[in-house]
Amino acid sequence: MRQNEIFADAFNYFVYNGEPVIAPESLTELDTRAIDVPYGGANGAGQPVQKTRDVIKSVTAMTDKKRAYLVLAIENQSHVHYAMAVRNMVYDALQYAAQVEKAIASHKRAGDYRGADRDEYLSGFMKGDRLMPVVTLVIYFDAKMWDGPLSVHEMFAEQDVKILSLVPDYKINLIAPAAMNDGEFGKFHTTLKEIFSFIKYSEDAEKLTEMVTHDERFLHLGRKEVDVLNACVNANLEMEEEEEECNVCKAIQTIADRAAEKERIDTLQNSIRNLMKTMGMTAGQSMRAIGVSENDRKILEKLL
């Protein structure tokens, strides 16, 4: 995700429906350590709080002949984080706090508080100062549906509607392959298309085979893409050191073989349990009765 082309592609999909509005060359990576310097100085509100984000970049764009700035961040998730809304809220708040502190520090260095009114002087943040918007995008690299809360309000127990209306909400911006339809994958212009579609159908050998058959780009995935798929959905894609591309067809066959093996073991397990229930046999007696092999016996003993 640190590659500007990939990073821009993710945000262009989510914000602009796949239109290439954010240019990769407009992105500049920032330090992922967001530090909130407590107001009141060293003897003020305690120790600084530090959180480390996955990837954070600034964007420079031209809008109505005025230069506009944004801060974009991506959080990569291989598992559902059930407090993600609060986690992201803290990250973004720390980024805003850091911007305020930098503004205050710049005024002190410039000595331009002269002429400022009392409120500006006391707050340190001038009336004309502005913050850069922070947008965080969560990318869920798993074939399962995201079943966690998508906002802070969803994390509350039942509350009085009037009270809840006074509590600011914070929502997650989420990309989850399992929730995407096939037409959406075509809105990506980098290998995110292949990665997300592979993840969505990683447990469906028939659908995966169909996609590979109709899109030859699946036959030429690079090493970075292979690493992502192996780590996130256990794709078992293999590449020799000297190879730069991987043929996904082999992976599909592996997935199909794995599914067939699981189905065979499940069938044996059900047969053994039926014998144990109806005939009063032990697990060992049941396995002997239906002629289970030694290798299968070792697998089934852990399941029964």
Side-chain angles (χ1 to χ4, degrees):
M1 297 311 302
R2 280 197 161 82
Q3 300 175 66
N4 281 3
E5 292 78 9
I6 301 292
F7 191 97
D9 198 24
F11 271 97
N12 281 329
Y13 160 79
F14 192 82
V15 181
Y16 299 108
N17 201 34
E19 292 295 320
V21 176
I22 299 172
E25 58 270 19
S26 71
L27 296 168
T28 302
E29 187 160 354
L30 303 177
D31 190 344
T32 60
R33 293 168 298 178
I35 300 177
D36 177 7
V37 180
Y39 295 108
N43 298 320
Q47 296 298 316
V49 177
Q50 179 171 311
K51 299 288 185 181
T52 301
R53 309 196 72 151
D54 290 344
V55 189
I56 183 169
K57 294 179 185 284
S58 65
V59 177
T60 304
M62 294 297 292
T63 305
D64 298 330
K65 298 183 179 180
K66 294 181 180 180
R67 191 170 294 275
Y69 296 91
L70 295 171
V71 176
L72 303 178
I74 285 180
E75 293 298 320
N76 302 307
Q77 290 296 124
S78 57
H79 297 86
V80 176
H81 193 306
Y82 292 100
M84 199 74 205
V86 171
R87 178 179 169 183
N88 280 4
M89 182 172 63
V90 171
Y91 284 163
D92 291 352
L94 289 171
Q95 176 56 225
Y96 286 125
Q99 291 183 40
V100 170
E101 290 301 328
K102 287 178 181 178
I104 293 172
S106 69
H107 288 307
K108 289 181 178 178
R109 287 194 303 270
D112 58 1
Y113 284 125
R114 193 172 301 170
D117 63 30
R118 178 178 174 83
D119 292 337
E120 288 181 310
Y121 180 79
L122 290 176
S123 68
F125 194 79
M126 307 288 275
K127 189 183 300 182
D129 288 337
R130 294 293 180 267
L131 296 176
M132 294 184 289
V134 180
V135 181
T136 297
L137 179 59
V138 177
I139 300 183
Y140 180 44
F141 290 90
D142 197 279
K144 297 182 296 184
M145 293 293 289
W146 179 281
D147 63 354
L150 294 175
S151 71
V152 170
H153 277 198
E154 289 182 26
M155 298 176 67
F156 296 147
E158 187 174 347
Q159 295 289 336
D160 183 289
V161 175
K162 291 186 177 180
I163 294 296
L164 197 60
S165 69
L166 302 176
V167 180
D169 199 2
Y170 186 92
K171 298 181 179 180
I172 295 175
N173 301 311
L174 176 70
I175 293 179
M180 297 169 63
N181 60 52
D182 290 350
E184 291 184 86
F185 296 121
K187 297 176 183 179
F188 293 100
H189 304 285
T190 66
T191 52
L192 285 180
K193 174 186 176 183
E194 286 72 47
I195 287 177
F196 289 153
S197 55
F198 190 108
I199 289 174
K200 178 179 176 69
Y201 295 112
S202 58
E203 298 178 357
D204 186 338
E206 183 177 346
K207 182 64 177 180
L208 207 52
T209 302
E210 180 185 341
M211 285 197 303
V212 171
T213 302
H214 291 87
D215 189 348
E216 65 176 17
R217 289 175 59 177
F218 277 103
L219 305 178
H220 307 285
L221 289 187
R223 187 170 296 277
K224 290 181 179 178
E225 288 75 19
V226 167
D227 288 344
V228 169
L229 294 175
N230 285 343
C232 295
V233 292
N234 193 26
N236 290 326
L237 294 166
E238 296 182 358
M239 293 182 66
E240 300 295 335
E241 283 190 24
E242 65 277 5
E243 290 181 328
E244 296 182 359
E245 295 181 342
C246 176
N247 189 326
V248 181
C249 286
K250 296 179 181 178
I252 294 176
Q253 187 59 50
T254 299
I255 292 172
D257 292 344
R258 189 164 59 230
E261 177 65 9
K262 183 178 184 302
E263 185 177 356
R264 188 180 69 82
I265 292 297
D266 286 346
T267 300
L268 282 174
Q269 185 179 0
N270 289 334
S271 297
I272 292 168
R273 283 180 171 165
N274 285 335
L275 283 175
M276 293 171 67
K277 182 178 180 180
T278 59
M279 304 297 292
M281 294 181 176
T282 64
Q285 290 171 335
S286 300
M287 284 189 276
R288 284 194 296 273
I290 60 177
V292 174
S293 68
E294 187 62 30
N295 286 337
D296 287 346
R297 181 187 294 267
K298 292 177 181 178
I299 297 172
L300 290 163
E301 284 176 349
K302 297 178 181 179
L303 299 174
L304 294 168

